[in-house]
Amino acid sequence: MVFYFSGTGNSQLAAKQIAAELSDEMVSINHCLKKGEKKTFRSERPLVFVAPIYAWRIPKVVAQWICATRFEGNQNAYFVLTRGGGTQGNAAAYAAKLCAETGLIYQGLASVQMPENYIALSAAPSESECASIIARAKPVFSKLASQIGQGKPFPKIPVSLVGRFISGPFNPLYYRLYIKDKGFTVSDACVSCGKCAKRCPLNNIDMAEGRPVWKGNCTHCMACICGCPTEAIEYKSISKGKRRYDIMKE
């Protein structure tokens, strides 16, 4: 069973390809989070968790959801993380720790570069660059799917001292200092479509008098800002003039 969390579509695309090659079922963690239901899943096949890298680890909301969810049947767990660039740091160690805490059997973590979507900090590539990055990623997803299908653990990747630091003590500091929704604003280009509220996996956006209002429980998935059809949403001054990136299929 392939579980995925995705703000703008990178991890959704990865999960869709892996699930197709394994002839397996896909489950959206986004939808599970929106419903707020505690569920039990049963799978005779390995569990595959696909998500973006947030601050060099699995996103907090994904780790918390895994802890709150019951998994029956096959307990082997693989992690496939998408990243805009850079490194996965020591994310594997924290995925292994999560498995130890939840009774899952850790089978490794792999990260794959996909187009940058974190426009609250960086710039999204051009359309042609995005297409090239995705084309390079697809064979990697195929290889990972093959390893999962054969029951082979993902190989371990050496971690530098810097990687240990950014995934370790810097991760909670990054969340505390930067993962906030106070920087989001909406301009008069807003058409009151409500797409931002619909797409927010944490139900952190309400529509008040036809305009989005953020409620303080944000994970910076970029679903609202990148999915806005009129580009009415900005994050401080950082996102102004930047290309939005969104391939999410709802």
Side-chain angles (χ1 to χ4, degrees):
M1 193 171 287
V2 181
F3 302 89
Y4 73 91
F5 176 81
S6 190
T8 67
N10 280 338
S11 295
Q12 184 191 53
L13 186 150
K16 186 175 181 179
Q17 181 179 337
I18 292 170
E21 297 198 16
L22 293 173
S23 298
D24 209 346
E25 180 183 354
M26 278 177 64
V27 176
S28 169
I29 296 175
N30 297 51
H31 293 166
C32 293
L33 288 170
K34 281 195 79 69
K35 291 179 180 178
E37 300 173 346
K38 288 190 177 182
K39 296 188 68 174
T40 297
F41 294 93
R42 182 172 185 84
S43 176
E44 300 307 319
R45 298 184 177 188
L47 308 173
V48 185
F49 299 100
V50 186
I53 288 180
Y54 283 5
W56 304 279
R57 288 194 206 175
I58 301 165
K60 273 187 178 182
V61 292
V62 174
Q64 290 166 353
W65 180 82
I66 292 173
C67 287
T69 303
R70 184 174 178 181
F71 301 95
E72 296 180 345
N74 196 317
Q75 298 292 291
N76 291 325
Y78 292 84
F79 296 83
V80 178
L81 302 187
T82 56
R83 53 183 170 79
T87 174
Q88 68 186 46
N90 200 22
Y94 291 91
K97 181 180 178 183
L98 175 64
C99 287
E101 293 171 348
T102 55
L104 300 177
I105 303 170
Y106 178 68
Q107 295 295 319
L109 178 147
S111 68
V112 183
Q113 185 177 3
M114 287 287 279
E116 180 64 66
N117 75 336
Y118 193 32
I119 62 170
L121 179 65
S122 305
S126 67
E127 187 173 348
S128 61
E129 289 174 319
C130 288
S132 296
I133 293 169
I134 291 172
R136 290 195 296 270
K138 287 184 175 181
V140 183
F141 295 136
S142 290
K143 182 178 179 180
L144 296 175
S146 177
Q147 291 174 320
I148 295 167
Q150 296 174 53
K152 295 180 178 179
F154 292 156
K156 293 182 179 180
I157 296 176
V159 182
S160 67
L161 288 175
V162 172
R164 295 178 189 277
F165 171 74
I166 56 180
S167 293
F170 188 65
N171 172 276
L173 180 63
Y174 188 89
Y175 267 88
R176 187 160 60 250
L177 294 178
Y178 298 107
I179 309 302
K180 305 174 186 294
D181 62 13
K182 291 183 179 179
F184 286 105
T185 57
V186 60
S187 73
D188 290 338
C190 176
V191 293
S192 304
C193 66
K195 189 175 182 180
C196 51
K198 179 182 177 182
R199 287 184 51 152
C200 178
L202 302 184
N203 295 317
N204 184 49
I205 299 175
D206 284 340
M207 297 298 291
E209 298 181 354
R211 297 168 73 88
V213 176
W214 288 263
K215 301 186 291 183
N217 182 32
C218 182
T219 190
H220 271 208
C221 71
M222 302 290 111
C224 61
I225 186 170
C226 286
C228 178
T230 61
E231 298 188 6
I233 298 173
E234 300 286 2
Y235 185 73
K236 300 180 180 178
S237 61
I238 302 171
S239 64
K240 291 183 178 179
K242 287 184 179 178
R243 179 178 179 273
R244 273 41 170 172
Y245 173 78
D246 179 47
I247 57 169
M248 192 77 169
K249 303 297 182 183
E250 298 178 63

